[in-house]
Amino acid sequence: MAVEQGAKPIRFAVLKPDHGSPEAIVRAVISEAPIAIEYNGIGYAVMMATPIDLADYAVGFSLSEGLIERPDDILALDVHQSELGWILRIQLPQKNAEKVVARARQRVSESSCGLCGMDNLEEVMRPLPPVTAQIAVADAAIFLALSALRSHQTLNADTGAAHAAAFCAPDGAILMTREDVGRHNALDKLIGALARAGIDISAGFIILTARCSLELVQKTILANCPMLVTISAATDLAIHIAQKAGLRLISLARADSALAAMPQNG
């Protein structure tokens, strides 16, 4: 398998408002590439993502799509770099492959959106199972994790352009982090990495360096994680779906405050 790379050096001219010749610098720039996902030879999706931790991504994406229930449902996985991007060739048992055939569609998603290729409103707003996991997390633990998050964002430290998804113990200790140019990709990578490592996602909570929109809530609910914390604000639909499924949602989480959505009247 070719070596995965999350960033590359690019030369820039630094422009400033005062007079003078621009300064030349070299800066690390985050990698973005098309990732084609195939199941049993059937093209399922093309996602724009950072080509690191792609085995984790393959497992997490498959879990989020409901195509597998556990990592060992995947019989074989080949991560292949081509001239134009990357290809994840995933082999599933016949019973799982039938789901692929039923749902396969040609779709391309930008890194900012995980729902761009959905076929219809019913698929986007599909019913979700209730979150059955419950954990007790003190407010102090949330802020402890937030304060430690930056030190776990190695790719973002180099590029300033990576989202992070971090899995935290109830006491706020960060146990695992994955990064990507796309926030939903980072979450899929984290879900896959936890599943591959045999770590129970229902026993902790997730922090995302992103705004909280529908697809992030959906993925968290489907993973049966009891709490999601996002650095930026949540949408009204994300809040509604989280409350309906029993997901505790914390947004606009900063060093000095955070917003916990309260039940709405009516």
Side-chain angles (χ1 to χ4, degrees):
M1 184 181 70
V3 176
E4 299 177 339
Q5 297 182 359
K8 63 176 60 176
I10 301 290
R11 287 178 56 84
F12 291 93
V14 180
L15 308 182
K16 296 183 178 181
D18 55 354
H19 297 289
S21 300
E23 176 189 359
I25 64 168
V26 176
R27 179 183 171 87
V29 175
I30 194 167
S31 296
E32 182 181 28
I35 314 293
I37 303 173
E38 297 179 359
Y39 293 98
N40 294 26
I42 299 173
Y44 187 85
V46 179
M47 310 294 287
M48 300 305 299
T50 302
I52 57 173
D53 301 314
L54 289 182
D56 293 338
Y57 184 52
V59 173
F61 181 88
S62 301
L63 287 167
S64 294
E65 288 290 298
L67 300 175
I68 63 172
E69 295 181 359
R70 57 190 65 85
D72 57 12
D73 285 339
I74 295 178
L75 302 178
L77 169 61
D78 175 51
V79 180
H80 175 72
Q81 185 175 17
S82 69
E83 182 179 354
L84 299 178
W86 295 77
I87 304 173
L88 305 182
R89 297 190 175 104
I90 303 167
Q91 192 71 25
L92 300 179
Q94 183 57 38
K95 64 176 182 177
N96 300 75
E98 291 174 357
K99 298 179 183 178
V100 175
V101 173
R103 298 179 56 192
R105 54 199 179 270
Q106 198 68 30
R107 63 181 188 177
V108 178
S109 266
E110 297 178 356
S111 61
S112 62
C113 176
L115 299 172
C116 301
M118 291 290 187
D119 294 286
N120 52 57
L121 294 177
E122 288 76 13
E123 187 173 3
V124 172
M125 298 300 295
R126 63 193 184 279
L128 297 171
V131 175
T132 59
Q134 293 189 9
I135 57 172
V137 178
D139 293 348
I142 298 172
F143 292 105
L144 177 65
L146 288 167
S147 66
L149 182 58
R150 183 180 295 273
S151 64
H152 291 261
Q153 296 178 253
T154 55
L155 183 58
N156 190 63
D158 290 338
T159 66
H163 281 296
F167 180 69
C168 310
D171 63 1
I174 295 179
L175 305 180
M176 184 178 290
T177 307
R178 289 294 182 269
E179 294 181 274
D180 194 277
V181 70
R183 55 207 168 95
H184 62 286
N185 296 332
L187 180 54
D188 275 338
K189 287 179 179 180
L190 178 65
I191 291 170
L194 292 169
R196 296 178 72 204
I199 298 174
D200 184 5
I201 197 171
S202 68
F205 65 95
I206 291 173
I207 293 181
L208 288 173
T209 59
R211 71 182 188 277
C212 184
S213 51
L214 173 63
E215 78 276 13
L216 301 179
V217 164
Q218 287 177 326
K219 290 177 185 292
T220 306
I221 291 170
L222 289 170
N224 199 34
C225 183
M227 189 169 89
L228 175 63
V229 180
T230 65
I231 301 298
S232 295
T235 67
D236 61 342
L237 184 58
I239 294 171
H240 171 71
I241 296 299
Q243 292 180 331
K244 186 176 180 180
L247 170 68
R248 186 183 181 199
L249 182 60
I250 311 293
S251 61
L252 270 180
R254 307 298 170 84
D256 59 347
S257 65
L259 299 182
M262 299 177 65
Q264 303 300 303
N265 294 329

